[in-house]
Amino acid sequence: MSKEMGNTEAAAPAVLDAIQFNGDGLVPAISQQFDTGEVLMMAWMNRDAVTETLKTGSVCYWSRSRGKLWRKGESSGQTQTLKDFRWDCDADTVLIMVDQVGVACHTGRRNCFFNAVRDGEPTEIADVETDPKELYGES
Amino acid sequence: MSKEMGNTEAAAPAVLDAIQFNGDGLVPAISQQFDTGEVLMMAWMNRDAVTETLKTGSVCYWSRSRGKLWRKGESSGQTQTLKDFRWDCDADTVLIMVDQVGVACHTGRRNCFFNAVRDGEPTEIADVETDPKELYGES
């Protein structure tokens, strides 16, 4: 974590107080590589995920599909170290600056936003950098 | 718009087909300043907003509070010109690269993510650049 944030664990109650969680108790969290500005992914956090992220300095989301805390990199090793924790004017979206180990996307791409319009058609614009089998093992 | 995108209006049906809109018919859209990487804001798009954005090259969102299309900059003049239109691995989040005129945030700050943890406390880290009264007029 960056020194300027200070004691993020102590800040957690005030941050939780500020953030407007939606009806499902969630807030969207955008992660951005702190030094390059690359937008890596968007996922969701609940109160526990925000608390754990601020306490440990390692990013934790809430997995809507699995219905449990998602400690980013727990299975894949592709962790995100918290560098800055920000939220927007309406306090209903979080922007976290992180240092991403390896690849952020479960497809093995560096970031999740690899679909784009090229020559008037949907096109994949990024290559797989790490075989997902290496990230999650054969199954 | 960037030349590499080609005819974005023609691409709209395929893009709409790819994107997974939520139960309310919306998808979160993150906007990022195309040349600096600054994350400006997060808002929502419905099918019509995606279509209009791809057709006009000027970013249009769906205002959940007003329940209507929100042509960014229509009132304030702070438009966003589309530079690239991307979506993620699950096709449930959009990332648009834009050229932002003036300030993205209705508070008059350049971007909406001006709240952060500093010295263990929530702190505003960006100054107002343009008086909101200048953007929206006295009321």
Side-chain angles (χ1 to χ4, degrees):
Chain A
M1 287 191 269
S2 74
K3 208 187 259 181
E4 60 183 354
M5 283 201 289
N7 186 338
T8 50
E9 184 174 2
V15 173
L16 290 171
D17 217 42
I19 292 176
Q20 303 295 311
F21 294 89
N22 70 15
D24 296 323
L26 302 175
V27 66
I30 303 159
S31 61
Q32 182 177 30
Q33 174 66 28
F34 79 104
D35 50 1
T36 65
E38 180 182 9
V39 175
L40 298 167
M41 53 183 279
M42 201 281 272
W44 296 79
M45 289 182 168
N46 64 1
R47 295 177 69 90
D48 287 347
V50 170
T51 303
E52 178 162 323
T53 298
L54 291 171
K55 181 177 177 181
T56 66
S58 191
V59 176
C60 176
Y61 299 102
W62 175 257
S63 169
R64 294 180 302 170
S65 57
R66 285 175 283 153
K68 62 176 194 172
L69 287 176
W70 166 23
R71 296 178 175 92
K72 176 70 180 159
E74 195 172 28
S75 309
S76 65
Q78 314 294 281
T79 53
Q80 295 182 331
T81 299
L82 184 68
K83 291 286 186 176
D84 207 7
F85 191 100
R86 302 181 188 174
W87 58 99
D88 72 348
C89 48
D90 299 321
D92 62 2
T93 305
V94 164
L95 174 65
I96 46 174
M97 316 298 281
V98 305
D99 194 7
Q100 172 71 55
V101 170
V103 296
C105 186
H106 75 288
T107 65
R109 293 176 179 85
R110 172 72 182 172
N111 76 67
C112 294
F113 297 95
F114 56 83
N115 301 290
V117 175
R118 290 290 177 274
D119 297 325
E121 289 181 11
T123 306
E124 294 187 354
I125 60 170
D127 294 327
V128 171
E129 295 185 15
T130 309
D131 187 335
K133 286 180 187 159
E134 280 178 41
L135 297 174
Y136 303 101
E138 309 268 358
S139 61
Chain B
M1 288 189 268
S2 74
K3 210 187 257 180
E4 60 183 353
M5 283 201 288
N7 186 337
T8 50
E9 184 175 3
V15 172
L16 290 172
D17 217 42
I19 292 176
Q20 303 295 311
F21 294 89
N22 71 13
D24 295 322
L26 302 175
V27 65
I30 303 159
S31 61
Q32 183 177 29
Q33 175 64 27
F34 80 104
D35 49 2
T36 65
E38 179 181 10
V39 175
L40 298 167
M41 52 183 279
M42 202 281 271
W44 297 78
M45 289 183 169
N46 64 0
R47 296 177 67 89
D48 287 348
V50 170
T51 303
E52 177 160 325
T53 298
L54 290 172
K55 181 177 176 180
T56 65
S58 191
V59 177
C60 176
Y61 299 102
W62 175 257
S63 170
R64 295 181 301 170
S65 58
R66 285 174 283 152
K68 63 175 193 171
L69 288 176
W70 166 23
R71 296 177 176 94
K72 176 70 180 162
E74 197 173 27
S75 309
S76 65
Q78 315 293 283
T79 53
Q80 295 182 331
T81 299
L82 185 66
K83 290 288 186 175
D84 208 6
F85 192 99
R86 302 180 188 174
W87 58 98
D88 72 347
C89 48
D90 299 323
D92 62 3
T93 304
V94 164
L95 174 65
I96 45 174
M97 316 299 280
V98 305
D99 194 8
Q100 172 73 54
V101 170
V103 296
C105 185
H106 75 287
T107 65
R109 293 175 178 86
R110 172 72 182 173
N111 75 66
C112 293
F113 298 95
F114 57 82
N115 301 290
V117 176
R118 290 290 177 274
D119 297 324
E121 289 181 11
T123 306
E124 294 186 355
I125 60 171
D127 294 327
V128 171
E129 295 184 16
T130 308
D131 187 334
K133 285 179 189 159
E134 281 179 40
L135 297 175
Y136 303 101
E138 308 270 358
S139 63

